[in-house]
Amino acid sequence: MSGVKELGYVVYEVSGLADWEHFGVDLLGMQLGERTGDGFTLRTDEKAHRWVVTEGPADDLVATGYEVEGAGALDALVVKLRAAGVEVTEGDEALAAARKVDRIFLTADPMGNRIELVEGLAEAATPFVSASLLGGFVTGAGGAGHQVLLAHGVSRETYLGFYLDLLGFRISDIIVEELAPGVVADLIFLHCNGRHHTVAFGDLPSPKKTHHFMVEVDDIRDVGLAYDRCMDAKQPFEMTLGMHPNDHMFSFYVFTPSGFSIEYGWGGLIIDEETWEVKTLDRLHSWGHRPPGVVAGLLAAAPNPMEENH
């Protein structure tokens, strides 16, 4: 197969390195990988890194590293992209060394998101150790996690032509929900391995390239513990605990110091390619995932029996 096999890593440009290190290591339970000339890396497993954090003004996603299955598959994918008129350039040895990969090619999707096609993402020299987790992060054959990107007016036909026809992703499902009269959320979810989705797209009102990145843990208790750590640290939440109807992820959404979100979840669905049927669902959340302000208001308005009995 010459297509993408997994999401290997993401690269973020952030304006506050110290805040990000605290967020990633202390709150989310990641491990500091190494300090670089312009930032640091974060680990969630035995790979050298899964997040590359660099200093700069963007406060946004600046690159996604997609791994393919070996040198032959990478060469075939580059040929396929170039034959379709997509510009692809080979990264130099310095970039490959920085990304800890054997080879790297650079291109961009129709929204202008930088994509790094790589093979041979290195293992770390030491075992993964989290100071906070009871279990570990779910990566392996499913890659680093998933991300939801913003379409910014680019047609679905256009970006699907790139991700499906060229990179080899498959459609998982679609969710269309009317959030308010005339306000419709319409998202499409794509997979490249058993993880329900590796990337999803929606035309949401945001100036950023990314809406969120999802990290998954293998012990449900770690969701609750991370929830408490973020709350105690007064890290702003986007959505409280809840579950999605398509990937069955039990999760919460917390804002990063850069203003986009991290979904922190457990229990994500694994797709069986032989039996999977693409469906269109009518809601984004099975339950929960409420805005924190709404939850705070409901709790404040609820009567307190203890007070009423005195």
Side-chain angles (χ1 to χ4, degrees), residues 66-97:
Y66 287 116
E67 191 165 10
V68 300
E69 192 71 68
L74 180 56
D75 289 337
L77 182 53
V78 169
V79 168
K80 186 177 182 181
L81 287 163
R82 287 173 173 166
V86 177
E87 182 178 351
V88 185
T89 59
E90 185 164 10
D92 60 21
E93 291 183 3
L95 180 60

Side-chain angles (χ1 to χ4, degrees), residues 7-300:
L7 196 167
Y9 58 85
V10 283
V11 184
Y12 296 118
E13 184 180 293
V14 310
S15 58
L17 287 176
D19 289 341
W20 260 89
E21 183 175 339
H22 168 65
F23 177 75
V25 176
D26 299 329
L27 301 188
L28 302 188
M30 297 179 176
Q31 179 183 357
L32 185 68
E34 66 176 16
R35 300 196 186 278
T36 61
D38 59 353
F40 57 86
T41 64
L42 293 168
R43 294 176 56 193
T44 59
D45 61 6
E46 302 307 315
K47 293 295 184 181
H49 56 237
R50 291 298 192 174
W51 289 13
V52 180
V53 181
T54 64
E55 188 171 26
D59 276 318
D60 205 348
L61 175 74
V62 294
T64 302
Y66 287 116
E67 191 165 10
V68 300
E69 192 71 68
L74 180 56
D75 289 337
L77 182 53
V78 169
V79 168
K80 186 177 182 181
L81 287 163
R82 287 173 173 166
V86 177
E87 182 178 351
V88 185
T89 59
E90 185 164 10
D92 60 21
E93 291 183 3
L95 180 60
R99 297 293 194 254
K100 310 290 188 186
V101 297
D102 292 338
R103 294 167 70 213
I104 181 169
F105 285 85
L106 313 176
T107 188
D109 72 9
M111 282 75 72
N113 297 308
R114 173 173 162 138
I115 290 177
E116 302 180 353
L117 301 171
V118 305
E119 55 113 352
L121 180 60
E123 301 284 311
T126 57
F128 171 74
V129 178
S130 170
S132 305
L133 298 188
L134 298 175
F137 290 100
V138 178
T139 56
H146 78 235
Q147 60 183 349
V148 174
L149 304 179
L150 288 304
H152 291 305
V154 175
S155 73
R156 181 159 291 174
E157 179 183 14
T158 298
Y159 63 72
L160 287 185
F162 179 82
Y163 279 90
L164 300 184
D165 300 341
L166 299 180
L167 295 191
F169 282 82
R170 285 85 72 193
I171 297 174
S172 303
D173 43 42
I174 299 167
I175 297 181
V176 181
E177 179 182 2
E178 186 173 20
L179 303 176
V183 180
V184 176
D186 184 351
L187 287 89
I188 188 164
F189 301 81
L190 311 180
H191 66 276
C192 61
N193 50 53
R195 191 184 288 281
H196 175 273
H197 58 284
T198 286
V199 65
F201 298 94
D203 222 341
L204 307 173
S206 170
K208 295 189 180 293
K209 296 178 179 180
T210 184
H211 175 268
H212 74 263
F213 189 92
M214 188 283 307
V215 291
E216 184 178 2
V217 291
D218 60 14
D219 189 323
I220 192 172
R221 295 174 297 174
D222 278 322
V223 177
L225 290 168
Y227 190 77
D228 279 356
R229 288 195 300 271
C230 290
M231 191 172 295
D232 290 343
K234 298 181 175 59
Q235 193 71 24
F237 283 73
E238 182 182 14
M239 288 182 272
T240 56
L241 291 165
M243 183 174 286
H244 293 296
N246 58 344
D247 68 352
H248 301 173
M249 191 73 71
F250 169 66
S251 63
F252 66 90
Y253 288 71
V254 62
F255 283 111
T256 68
S258 292
F260 58 89
S261 292
I262 295 301
E263 180 183 8
Y264 202 95
W266 171 87
L269 181 71
I270 301 297
I271 283 181
D272 180 348
E273 200 70 52
E274 299 298 319
T275 60
W276 186 256
E277 296 180 10
V278 177
K279 297 178 180 178
T280 298
L281 296 88
D282 61 0
R283 53 184 174 159
L284 292 167
H285 315 288
S286 300
W287 61 270
H289 283 158
R290 297 186 180 193
V294 170
V295 174
L298 291 171
L299 292 174

